[in-house]
Amino acid sequence: MSIGIALSNALSGLTASTKRAEVISDNVANALTPGYARRSMPVSAASVAGEGRGVRTHEVIRAVDPRATFERRAAQSNLGRDQAFAGPQSVLADAIGTADQAGSLSSRAIALEDAIARLAETPESPSLQRGAVGAADDLARALVSASREVQATRMDAETAITRMVEQANDSLARIDALNEDIAAATTRGQSTAALEEARGEEIDRLADIIPVRTARRDQGVVAIYTPGGAALLEGRPALLEFDAKSLITADMTLASTGLNPLILDGEPITIGTGGGPLDGGALGAQFAIRDVVAPEAQAQLDAIAQDLILRFEDPAVDPTLAAGDPGLFTDEGGAFDPLDTVGLAARIELNAAVDPDR
């Protein structure tokens, strides 16, 4: 072996050692970096015409377990969904409250029952009359306030949907751009570890909003689908669109065309019911809050309001009332209308005939 070949072999070994030291230092420095995967750089013996020619370095490899990555991202999506539900459900629960919670609907209903019972014993007492009227007014106002909370929760969901759609589109565009960079680097024989790291972080951000699956394609490119079968990135990024409303009222639903659906590549899709192609993450949870959870809470409030109005406008209970006259509680001053029950809790009022302020 000539001195030149020996020196070349030694230099290739030193170069390989230097590159491996850089990889190791990156691993140590990023040991606590979220999303970072340990890297390694394989080496092999180089030879020419059967003779040793030092050391050959290969592309840096990221230690990634595709199955574990998928399960982690699925857990991210589930966490995003649960966190999206937690806040609104707490707000709705507080709006209705429990019997031992001061200011709750239950406690106000009990207070009205007690006030009426005391008044029944001494109906001529002005103070007891005022107490009963005040308790009735408090209950009606509590129903109106709870109904407003429900609609405010739906508006918060509408705003969150707009933000998440923008974030999802941005992430898909960045992943597509990184796919192109990785393909180009692969063609040039350059390391793609850093680019794959950045792409993985972007996919993680997307998984916080929508559950995703990835599939490897040629030249290191990945395609992205949802577990429900929607293609988010296959050759090109899909486009999510959503037209938010500036105001949501109790009567507005998807069925009534009062609210807008999510659009995927120009087609409306079902989301928020649990079986749609994009369900399972924070985005689906926000649609569920807007279209299912909050409307169900509103329906419960409306049922309470309906029961109150009907109880006190029944002539069998109050013989001073003629058929069709409003009782102690009214629908914005009028009697109960069985054809207009949606949002009743937001319209219930104390009858002006017993309200000393009116």
PDB file of all heavy atoms in Angstrom, residues 282-320:
ATOM      1  N   ALA A 282     -59.389  17.909  17.944  1.00  0.00           N
ATOM      2  CA  ALA A 282     -59.934  19.152  18.486  1.00  0.00           C
ATOM      3  C   ALA A 282     -60.916  19.814  17.518  1.00  0.00           C
ATOM      4  O   ALA A 282     -61.912  20.413  17.953  1.00  0.00           O
ATOM      5  CB  ALA A 282     -58.800  20.118  18.809  1.00  0.00           C
ATOM      6  N   LEU A 283     -60.661  19.714  16.214  1.00  0.00           N
ATOM      7  CA  LEU A 283     -61.563  20.341  15.246  1.00  0.00           C
ATOM      8  C   LEU A 283     -62.936  19.693  15.288  1.00  0.00           C
ATOM      9  O   LEU A 283     -63.973  20.380  15.325  1.00  0.00           O
ATOM     10  CB  LEU A 283     -60.974  20.246  13.843  1.00  0.00           C
ATOM     11  CG  LEU A 283     -61.796  20.902  12.720  1.00  0.00           C
ATOM     12  CD1 LEU A 283     -61.969  22.388  12.966  1.00  0.00           C
ATOM     13  CD2 LEU A 283     -61.130  20.661  11.359  1.00  0.00           C
ATOM     14  N   GLY A 284     -62.975  18.369  15.294  1.00  0.00           N
ATOM     15  CA  GLY A 284     -64.250  17.665  15.383  1.00  0.00           C
ATOM     16  C   GLY A 284     -64.972  17.980  16.669  1.00  0.00           C
ATOM     17  O   GLY A 284     -66.207  18.086  16.701  1.00  0.00           O
ATOM     18  N   ALA A 285     -64.213  18.144  17.768  1.00  0.00           N
ATOM     19  CA  ALA A 285     -64.830  18.457  19.059  1.00  0.00           C
ATOM     20  C   ALA A 285     -65.516  19.814  19.021  1.00  0.00           C
ATOM     21  O   ALA A 285     -66.610  19.983  19.587  1.00  0.00           O
ATOM     22  CB  ALA A 285     -63.774  18.434  20.159  1.00  0.00           C
ATOM     23  N   GLN A 286     -64.915  20.781  18.352  1.00  0.00           N
ATOM     24  CA  GLN A 286     -65.527  22.116  18.279  1.00  0.00           C
ATOM     25  C   GLN A 286     -66.832  22.068  17.495  1.00  0.00           C
ATOM     26  O   GLN A 286     -67.811  22.743  17.862  1.00  0.00           O
ATOM     27  CB  GLN A 286     -64.556  23.113  17.645  1.00  0.00           C
ATOM     28  CG  GLN A 286     -63.294  23.384  18.439  1.00  0.00           C
ATOM     29  CD  GLN A 286     -63.563  24.004  19.797  1.00  0.00           C
ATOM     30  OE1 GLN A 286     -64.648  24.556  20.050  1.00  0.00           O
ATOM     31  NE2 GLN A 286     -62.589  23.930  20.689  1.00  0.00           N
ATOM     32  N   PHE A 287     -66.886  21.273  16.437  1.00  0.00           N
ATOM     33  CA  PHE A 287     -68.149  21.122  15.705  1.00  0.00           C
ATOM     34  C   PHE A 287     -69.184  20.404  16.569  1.00  0.00           C
ATOM     35  O   PHE A 287     -70.376  20.733  16.531  1.00  0.00           O
ATOM     36  CB  PHE A 287     -67.925  20.358  14.398  1.00  0.00           C
ATOM     37  CG  PHE A 287     -67.525  21.228  13.242  1.00  0.00           C
ATOM     38  CD1 PHE A 287     -66.200  21.372  12.889  1.00  0.00           C
ATOM     39  CD2 PHE A 287     -68.488  21.929  12.517  1.00  0.00           C
ATOM     40  CE1 PHE A 287     -65.822  22.180  11.825  1.00  0.00           C
ATOM     41  CE2 PHE A 287     -68.120  22.745  11.458  1.00  0.00           C
ATOM     42  CZ  PHE A 287     -66.786  22.875  11.109  1.00  0.00           C
ATOM     43  N   ALA A 288     -68.731  19.426  17.354  1.00  0.00           N
ATOM     44  CA  ALA A 288     -69.660  18.716  18.241  1.00  0.00           C
ATOM     45  C   ALA A 288     -70.229  19.658  19.288  1.00  0.00           C
ATOM     46  O   ALA A 288     -71.414  19.592  19.622  1.00  0.00           O
ATOM     47  CB  ALA A 288     -68.951  17.538  18.910  1.00  0.00           C
ATOM     48  N   ILE A 289     -69.392  20.550  19.806  1.00  0.00           N
ATOM     49  CA  ILE A 289     -69.860  21.536  20.795  1.00  0.00           C
ATOM     50  C   ILE A 289     -70.897  22.451  20.159  1.00  0.00           C
ATOM     51  O   ILE A 289     -71.958  22.711  20.735  1.00  0.00           O
ATOM     52  CB  ILE A 289     -68.672  22.351  21.336  1.00  0.00           C
ATOM     53  CG1 ILE A 289     -67.781  21.461  22.208  1.00  0.00           C
ATOM     54  CG2 ILE A 289     -69.162  23.562  22.133  1.00  0.00           C
ATOM     55  CD1 ILE A 289     -66.422  22.060  22.488  1.00  0.00           C
ATOM     56  N   ARG A 290     -70.584  22.932  18.969  1.00  0.00           N
ATOM     57  CA  ARG A 290     -71.485  23.874  18.297  1.00  0.00           C
ATOM     58  C   ARG A 290     -72.803  23.233  17.877  1.00  0.00           C
ATOM     59  O   ARG A 290     -73.882  23.834  18.019  1.00  0.00           O
ATOM     60  CB  ARG A 290     -70.794  24.450  17.051  1.00  0.00           C
ATOM     61  CG  ARG A 290     -71.557  25.582  16.390  1.00  0.00           C
ATOM     62  CD  ARG A 290     -71.067  25.871  14.992  1.00  0.00           C
ATOM     63  NE  ARG A 290     -71.445  24.827  14.032  1.00  0.00           N
ATOM     64  CZ  ARG A 290     -71.307  24.942  12.703  1.00  0.00           C
ATOM     65  NH1 ARG A 290     -70.772  26.038  12.200  1.00  0.00           N
ATOM     66  NH2 ARG A 290     -71.680  23.965  11.900  1.00  0.00           N
ATOM     67  N   ASP A 291     -72.733  21.981  17.380  1.00  0.00           N
ATOM     68  CA  ASP A 291     -73.906  21.371  16.743  1.00  0.00           C
ATOM     69  C   ASP A 291     -74.614  20.313  17.573  1.00  0.00           C
ATOM     70  O   ASP A 291     -75.738  19.932  17.242  1.00  0.00           O
ATOM     71  CB  ASP A 291     -73.495  20.753  15.399  1.00  0.00           C
ATOM     72  CG  ASP A 291     -72.927  21.777  14.429  1.00  0.00           C
ATOM     73  OD1 ASP A 291     -73.321  22.951  14.535  1.00  0.00           O
ATOM     74  OD2 ASP A 291     -72.086  21.403  13.587  1.00  0.00           O
ATOM     75  N   VAL A 292     -73.959  19.813  18.635  1.00  0.00           N
ATOM     76  CA  VAL A 292     -74.559  18.731  19.415  1.00  0.00           C
ATOM     77  C   VAL A 292     -74.634  19.073  20.905  1.00  0.00           C
ATOM     78  O   VAL A 292     -75.724  19.145  21.481  1.00  0.00           O
ATOM     79  CB  VAL A 292     -73.778  17.406  19.225  1.00  0.00           C
ATOM     80  CG1 VAL A 292     -74.432  16.296  20.041  1.00  0.00           C
ATOM     81  CG2 VAL A 292     -73.702  17.022  17.755  1.00  0.00           C
ATOM     82  N   VAL A 293     -73.491  19.294  21.523  1.00  0.00           N
ATOM     83  CA  VAL A 293     -73.433  19.472  22.980  1.00  0.00           C
ATOM     84  C   VAL A 293     -74.210  20.703  23.431  1.00  0.00           C
ATOM     85  O   VAL A 293     -75.084  20.622  24.311  1.00  0.00           O
ATOM     86  CB  VAL A 293     -71.967  19.564  23.449  1.00  0.00           C
ATOM     87  CG1 VAL A 293     -71.913  19.834  24.953  1.00  0.00           C
ATOM     88  CG2 VAL A 293     -71.221  18.281  23.120  1.00  0.00           C
ATOM     89  N   ALA A 294     -73.895  21.857  22.847  1.00  0.00           N
ATOM     90  CA  ALA A 294     -74.577  23.094  23.257  1.00  0.00           C
ATOM     91  C   ALA A 294     -76.069  23.075  22.901  1.00  0.00           C
ATOM     92  O   ALA A 294     -76.896  23.473  23.730  1.00  0.00           O
ATOM     93  CB  ALA A 294     -73.890  24.309  22.640  1.00  0.00           C
ATOM     94  N   PRO A 295     -76.474  22.625  21.694  1.00  0.00           N
ATOM     95  CA  PRO A 295     -77.905  22.547  21.418  1.00  0.00           C
ATOM     96  C   PRO A 295     -78.659  21.614  22.368  1.00  0.00           C
ATOM     97  O   PRO A 295     -79.811  21.887  22.717  1.00  0.00           O
ATOM     98  CB  PRO A 295     -77.957  22.018  19.970  1.00  0.00           C
ATOM     99  CG  PRO A 295     -76.699  22.526  19.359  1.00  0.00           C
ATOM    100  CD  PRO A 295     -75.679  22.423  20.458  1.00  0.00           C
ATOM    101  N   GLU A 296     -78.019  20.533  22.793  1.00  0.00           N
ATOM    102  CA  GLU A 296     -78.672  19.650  23.773  1.00  0.00           C
ATOM    103  C   GLU A 296     -78.863  20.367  25.109  1.00  0.00           C
ATOM    104  O   GLU A 296     -79.907  20.212  25.762  1.00  0.00           O
ATOM    105  CB  GLU A 296     -77.842  18.380  23.963  1.00  0.00           C
ATOM    106  CG  GLU A 296     -77.926  17.407  22.786  1.00  0.00           C
ATOM    107  CD  GLU A 296     -77.043  16.194  22.978  1.00  0.00           C
ATOM    108  OE1 GLU A 296     -76.265  16.170  23.967  1.00  0.00           O
ATOM    109  OE2 GLU A 296     -77.131  15.265  22.152  1.00  0.00           O
ATOM    110  N   ALA A 297     -77.868  21.150  25.515  1.00  0.00           N
ATOM    111  CA  ALA A 297     -78.002  21.925  26.747  1.00  0.00           C
ATOM    112  C   ALA A 297     -79.108  22.968  26.607  1.00  0.00           C
ATOM    113  O   ALA A 297     -79.896  23.194  27.538  1.00  0.00           O
ATOM    114  CB  ALA A 297     -76.673  22.605  27.082  1.00  0.00           C
ATOM    115  N   GLN A 298     -79.183  23.600  25.426  1.00  0.00           N
ATOM    116  CA  GLN A 298     -80.246  24.579  25.181  1.00  0.00           C
ATOM    117  C   GLN A 298     -81.610  23.911  25.242  1.00  0.00           C
ATOM    118  O   GLN A 298     -82.574  24.475  25.789  1.00  0.00           O
ATOM    119  CB  GLN A 298     -80.046  25.238  23.815  1.00  0.00           C
ATOM    120  CG  GLN A 298     -81.075  26.316  23.476  1.00  0.00           C
ATOM    121  CD  GLN A 298     -80.953  27.525  24.388  1.00  0.00           C
ATOM    122  OE1 GLN A 298     -79.874  28.107  24.510  1.00  0.00           O
ATOM    123  NE2 GLN A 298     -82.054  27.912  25.028  1.00  0.00           N
ATOM    124  N   ALA A 299     -81.719  22.716  24.697  1.00  0.00           N
ATOM    125  CA  ALA A 299     -82.998  21.989  24.722  1.00  0.00           C
ATOM    126  C   ALA A 299     -83.432  21.691  26.153  1.00  0.00           C
ATOM    127  O   ALA A 299     -84.629  21.747  26.484  1.00  0.00           O
ATOM    128  CB  ALA A 299     -82.882  20.699  23.917  1.00  0.00           C
ATOM    129  N   GLN A 300     -82.474  21.380  27.019  1.00  0.00           N
ATOM    130  CA  GLN A 300     -82.802  21.134  28.425  1.00  0.00           C
ATOM    131  C   GLN A 300     -83.316  22.409  29.088  1.00  0.00           C
ATOM    132  O   GLN A 300     -84.297  22.376  29.842  1.00  0.00           O
ATOM    133  CB  GLN A 300     -81.571  20.613  29.161  1.00  0.00           C
ATOM    134  CG  GLN A 300     -81.119  19.233  28.708  1.00  0.00           C
ATOM    135  CD  GLN A 300     -79.823  18.806  29.371  1.00  0.00           C
ATOM    136  OE1 GLN A 300     -79.285  19.521  30.213  1.00  0.00           O
ATOM    137  NE2 GLN A 300     -79.324  17.652  28.988  1.00  0.00           N
ATOM    138  N   LEU A 301     -82.649  23.510  28.803  1.00  0.00           N
ATOM    139  CA  LEU A 301     -83.089  24.791  29.371  1.00  0.00           C
ATOM    140  C   LEU A 301     -84.476  25.160  28.843  1.00  0.00           C
ATOM    141  O   LEU A 301     -85.336  25.650  29.600  1.00  0.00           O
ATOM    142  CB  LEU A 301     -82.087  25.890  29.025  1.00  0.00           C
ATOM    143  CG  LEU A 301     -80.692  25.769  29.648  1.00  0.00           C
ATOM    144  CD1 LEU A 301     -79.779  26.851  29.096  1.00  0.00           C
ATOM    145  CD2 LEU A 301     -80.769  25.871  31.170  1.00  0.00           C
ATOM    146  N   ASP A 302     -84.692  24.945  27.550  1.00  0.00           N
ATOM    147  CA  ASP A 302     -86.001  25.254  26.964  1.00  0.00           C
ATOM    148  C   ASP A 302     -87.097  24.398  27.586  1.00  0.00           C
ATOM    149  O   ASP A 302     -88.231  24.855  27.777  1.00  0.00           O
ATOM    150  CB  ASP A 302     -85.963  25.037  25.445  1.00  0.00           C
ATOM    151  CG  ASP A 302     -85.086  26.056  24.731  1.00  0.00           C
ATOM    152  OD1 ASP A 302     -84.777  27.101  25.332  1.00  0.00           O
ATOM    153  OD2 ASP A 302     -84.698  25.799  23.574  1.00  0.00           O
ATOM    154  N   ALA A 303     -86.769  23.140  27.898  1.00  0.00           N
ATOM    155  CA  ALA A 303     -87.754  22.253  28.533  1.00  0.00           C
ATOM    156  C   ALA A 303     -88.124  22.758  29.928  1.00  0.00           C
ATOM    157  O   ALA A 303     -89.292  22.703  30.333  1.00  0.00           O
ATOM    158  CB  ALA A 303     -87.208  20.834  28.609  1.00  0.00           C
ATOM    159  N   ILE A 304     -87.126  23.267  30.652  1.00  0.00           N
ATOM    160  CA  ILE A 304     -87.397  23.839  31.979  1.00  0.00           C
ATOM    161  C   ILE A 304     -88.295  25.062  31.839  1.00  0.00           C
ATOM    162  O   ILE A 304     -89.271  25.229  32.584  1.00  0.00           O
ATOM    163  CB  ILE A 304     -86.081  24.213  32.679  1.00  0.00           C
ATOM    164  CG1 ILE A 304     -85.260  22.957  32.969  1.00  0.00           C
ATOM    165  CG2 ILE A 304     -86.358  24.962  33.978  1.00  0.00           C
ATOM    166  CD1 ILE A 304     -83.848  23.247  33.476  1.00  0.00           C
ATOM    167  N   ALA A 305     -87.971  25.936  30.887  1.00  0.00           N
ATOM    168  CA  ALA A 305     -88.770  27.141  30.674  1.00  0.00           C
ATOM    169  C   ALA A 305     -90.196  26.787  30.265  1.00  0.00           C
ATOM    170  O   ALA A 305     -91.168  27.399  30.739  1.00  0.00           O
ATOM    171  CB  ALA A 305     -88.111  28.012  29.603  1.00  0.00           C
ATOM    172  N   GLN A 306     -90.327  25.807  29.403  1.00  0.00           N
ATOM    173  CA  GLN A 306     -91.661  25.382  28.969  1.00  0.00           C
ATOM    174  C   GLN A 306     -92.475  24.863  30.145  1.00  0.00           C
ATOM    175  O   GLN A 306     -93.660  25.206  30.302  1.00  0.00           O
ATOM    176  CB  GLN A 306     -91.529  24.303  27.901  1.00  0.00           C
ATOM    177  CG  GLN A 306     -92.864  23.716  27.454  1.00  0.00           C
ATOM    178  CD  GLN A 306     -92.700  22.673  26.358  1.00  0.00           C
ATOM    179  OE1 GLN A 306     -91.744  22.704  25.587  1.00  0.00           O
ATOM    180  NE2 GLN A 306     -93.634  21.736  26.293  1.00  0.00           N
ATOM    181  N   ASP A 307     -91.850  24.064  30.993  1.00  0.00           N
ATOM    182  CA  ASP A 307     -92.550  23.517  32.146  1.00  0.00           C
ATOM    183  C   ASP A 307     -93.022  24.633  33.082  1.00  0.00           C
ATOM    184  O   ASP A 307     -94.162  24.602  33.568  1.00  0.00           O
ATOM    185  CB  ASP A 307     -91.631  22.552  32.889  1.00  0.00           C
ATOM    186  CG  ASP A 307     -92.328  21.909  34.071  1.00  0.00           C
ATOM    187  OD1 ASP A 307     -93.281  21.149  33.859  1.00  0.00           O
ATOM    188  OD2 ASP A 307     -91.924  22.197  35.221  1.00  0.00           O
ATOM    189  N   LEU A 308     -92.157  25.620  33.297  1.00  0.00           N
ATOM    190  CA  LEU A 308     -92.523  26.729  34.185  1.00  0.00           C
ATOM    191  C   LEU A 308     -93.713  27.514  33.616  1.00  0.00           C
ATOM    192  O   LEU A 308     -94.673  27.833  34.330  1.00  0.00           O
ATOM    193  CB  LEU A 308     -91.334  27.671  34.374  1.00  0.00           C
ATOM    194  CG  LEU A 308     -90.266  27.232  35.376  1.00  0.00           C
ATOM    195  CD1 LEU A 308     -89.067  28.175  35.296  1.00  0.00           C
ATOM    196  CD2 LEU A 308     -90.844  27.228  36.789  1.00  0.00           C
ATOM    197  N   ILE A 309     -93.633  27.850  32.340  1.00  0.00           N
ATOM    198  CA  ILE A 309     -94.704  28.648  31.730  1.00  0.00           C
ATOM    199  C   ILE A 309     -96.028  27.896  31.775  1.00  0.00           C
ATOM    200  O   ILE A 309     -97.074  28.448  32.151  1.00  0.00           O
ATOM    201  CB  ILE A 309     -94.324  29.033  30.287  1.00  0.00           C
ATOM    202  CG1 ILE A 309     -93.132  29.989  30.286  1.00  0.00           C
ATOM    203  CG2 ILE A 309     -95.514  29.681  29.577  1.00  0.00           C
ATOM    204  CD1 ILE A 309     -92.598  30.313  28.904  1.00  0.00           C
ATOM    205  N   LEU A 310     -95.994  26.617  31.387  1.00  0.00           N
ATOM    206  CA  LEU A 310     -97.232  25.838  31.343  1.00  0.00           C
ATOM    207  C   LEU A 310     -97.813  25.615  32.736  1.00  0.00           C
ATOM    208  O   LEU A 310     -99.046  25.628  32.913  1.00  0.00           O
ATOM    209  CB  LEU A 310     -96.975  24.499  30.655  1.00  0.00           C
ATOM    210  CG  LEU A 310     -96.746  24.556  29.137  1.00  0.00           C
ATOM    211  CD1 LEU A 310     -96.405  23.182  28.588  1.00  0.00           C
ATOM    212  CD2 LEU A 310     -97.985  25.119  28.440  1.00  0.00           C
ATOM    213  N   ARG A 311     -96.983  25.397  33.718  1.00  0.00           N
ATOM    214  CA  ARG A 311     -97.484  25.180  35.085  1.00  0.00           C
ATOM    215  C   ARG A 311     -98.311  26.371  35.566  1.00  0.00           C
ATOM    216  O   ARG A 311     -99.366  26.204  36.186  1.00  0.00           O
ATOM    217  CB  ARG A 311     -96.314  24.972  36.049  1.00  0.00           C
ATOM    218  CG  ARG A 311     -95.744  23.568  36.068  1.00  0.00           C
ATOM    219  CD  ARG A 311     -94.551  23.507  37.010  1.00  0.00           C
ATOM    220  NE  ARG A 311     -93.914  22.191  37.000  1.00  0.00           N
ATOM    221  CZ  ARG A 311     -94.234  21.202  37.826  1.00  0.00           C
ATOM    222  NH1 ARG A 311     -95.196  21.392  38.731  1.00  0.00           N
ATOM    223  NH2 ARG A 311     -93.618  20.044  37.754  1.00  0.00           N
ATOM    224  N   PHE A 312     -97.850  27.573  35.284  1.00  0.00           N
ATOM    225  CA  PHE A 312     -98.488  28.754  35.863  1.00  0.00           C
ATOM    226  C   PHE A 312     -99.525  29.404  34.960  1.00  0.00           C
ATOM    227  O   PHE A 312    -100.182  30.361  35.369  1.00  0.00           O
ATOM    228  CB  PHE A 312     -97.415  29.783  36.252  1.00  0.00           C
ATOM    229  CG  PHE A 312     -96.614  29.386  37.452  1.00  0.00           C
ATOM    230  CD1 PHE A 312     -95.399  28.737  37.310  1.00  0.00           C
ATOM    231  CD2 PHE A 312     -97.090  29.632  38.739  1.00  0.00           C
ATOM    232  CE1 PHE A 312     -94.658  28.360  38.414  1.00  0.00           C
ATOM    233  CE2 PHE A 312     -96.354  29.266  39.852  1.00  0.00           C
ATOM    234  CZ  PHE A 312     -95.137  28.619  39.694  1.00  0.00           C
ATOM    235  N   GLU A 313     -99.677  28.911  33.729  1.00  0.00           N
ATOM    236  CA  GLU A 313    -100.746  29.475  32.896  1.00  0.00           C
ATOM    237  C   GLU A 313    -101.903  28.485  32.735  1.00  0.00           C
ATOM    238  O   GLU A 313    -102.810  28.707  31.941  1.00  0.00           O
ATOM    239  CB  GLU A 313    -100.212  29.901  31.528  1.00  0.00           C
ATOM    240  CG  GLU A 313     -99.835  28.792  30.571  1.00  0.00           C
ATOM    241  CD  GLU A 313     -99.445  29.323  29.193  1.00  0.00           C
ATOM    242  OE1 GLU A 313     -98.995  30.479  29.089  1.00  0.00           O
ATOM    243  OE2 GLU A 313     -99.595  28.580  28.217  1.00  0.00           O
ATOM    244  N   ASP A 314    -101.866  27.420  33.511  1.00  0.00           N
ATOM    245  CA  ASP A 314    -102.950  26.439  33.502  1.00  0.00           C
ATOM    246  C   ASP A 314    -104.145  26.994  34.289  1.00  0.00           C
ATOM    247  O   ASP A 314    -104.036  27.239  35.495  1.00  0.00           O
ATOM    248  CB  ASP A 314    -102.458  25.136  34.125  1.00  0.00           C
ATOM    249  CG  ASP A 314    -103.505  24.030  34.044  1.00  0.00           C
ATOM    250  OD1 ASP A 314    -104.629  24.304  33.573  1.00  0.00           O
ATOM    251  OD2 ASP A 314    -103.180  22.905  34.460  1.00  0.00           O
ATOM    252  N   PRO A 315    -105.318  27.201  33.656  1.00  0.00           N
ATOM    253  CA  PRO A 315    -106.498  27.722  34.377  1.00  0.00           C
ATOM    254  C   PRO A 315    -106.912  26.831  35.543  1.00  0.00           C
ATOM    255  O   PRO A 315    -107.527  27.318  36.498  1.00  0.00           O
ATOM    256  CB  PRO A 315    -107.585  27.763  33.300  1.00  0.00           C
ATOM    257  CG  PRO A 315    -106.833  27.869  32.003  1.00  0.00           C
ATOM    258  CD  PRO A 315    -105.594  27.062  32.214  1.00  0.00           C
ATOM    259  N   ALA A 316    -106.584  25.557  35.491  1.00  0.00           N
ATOM    260  CA  ALA A 316    -106.920  24.667  36.604  1.00  0.00           C
ATOM    261  C   ALA A 316    -106.098  25.012  37.836  1.00  0.00           C
ATOM    262  O   ALA A 316    -106.528  24.771  38.969  1.00  0.00           O
ATOM    263  CB  ALA A 316    -106.685  23.217  36.201  1.00  0.00           C
ATOM    264  N   VAL A 317    -104.903  25.594  37.607  1.00  0.00           N
ATOM    265  CA  VAL A 317    -104.045  26.020  38.718  1.00  0.00           C
ATOM    266  C   VAL A 317    -104.393  27.440  39.130  1.00  0.00           C
ATOM    267  O   VAL A 317    -104.446  27.771  40.321  1.00  0.00           O
ATOM    268  CB  VAL A 317    -102.557  25.911  38.317  1.00  0.00           C
ATOM    269  CG1 VAL A 317    -101.663  26.483  39.422  1.00  0.00           C
ATOM    270  CG2 VAL A 317    -102.194  24.466  38.025  1.00  0.00           C
ATOM    271  N   ASP A 318    -104.641  28.294  38.156  1.00  0.00           N
ATOM    272  CA  ASP A 318    -104.955  29.700  38.419  1.00  0.00           C
ATOM    273  C   ASP A 318    -106.303  30.029  37.757  1.00  0.00           C
ATOM    274  O   ASP A 318    -106.363  30.346  36.571  1.00  0.00           O
ATOM    275  CB  ASP A 318    -103.855  30.591  37.853  1.00  0.00           C
ATOM    276  CG  ASP A 318    -104.065  32.063  38.199  1.00  0.00           C
ATOM    277  OD1 ASP A 318    -105.130  32.395  38.760  1.00  0.00           O
ATOM    278  OD2 ASP A 318    -103.170  32.871  37.903  1.00  0.00           O
ATOM    279  N   PRO A 319    -107.396  29.960  38.495  1.00  0.00           N
ATOM    280  CA  PRO A 319    -108.729  30.182  37.910  1.00  0.00           C
ATOM    281  C   PRO A 319    -108.970  31.616  37.442  1.00  0.00           C
ATOM    282  O   PRO A 319    -109.968  31.885  36.775  1.00  0.00           O
ATOM    283  CB  PRO A 319    -109.676  29.810  39.054  1.00  0.00           C
ATOM    284  CG  PRO A 319    -108.864  29.934  40.289  1.00  0.00           C
ATOM    285  CD  PRO A 319    -107.467  29.593  39.923  1.00  0.00           C
ATOM    286  N   THR A 320    -108.056  32.547  37.766  1.00  0.00           N
ATOM    287  CA  THR A 320    -108.226  33.928  37.280  1.00  0.00           C
ATOM    288  C   THR A 320    -107.841  34.057  35.809  1.00  0.00           C
ATOM    289  O   THR A 320    -108.080  35.098  35.193  1.00  0.00           O
ATOM    290  CB  THR A 320    -107.360  34.896  38.103  1.00  0.00           C
ATOM    291  OG1 THR A 320    -105.977  34.645  37.844  1.00  0.00           O
ATOM    292  CG2 THR A 320    -107.651  34.761  39.583  1.00  0.00           C
TER     293      THR A 320
END
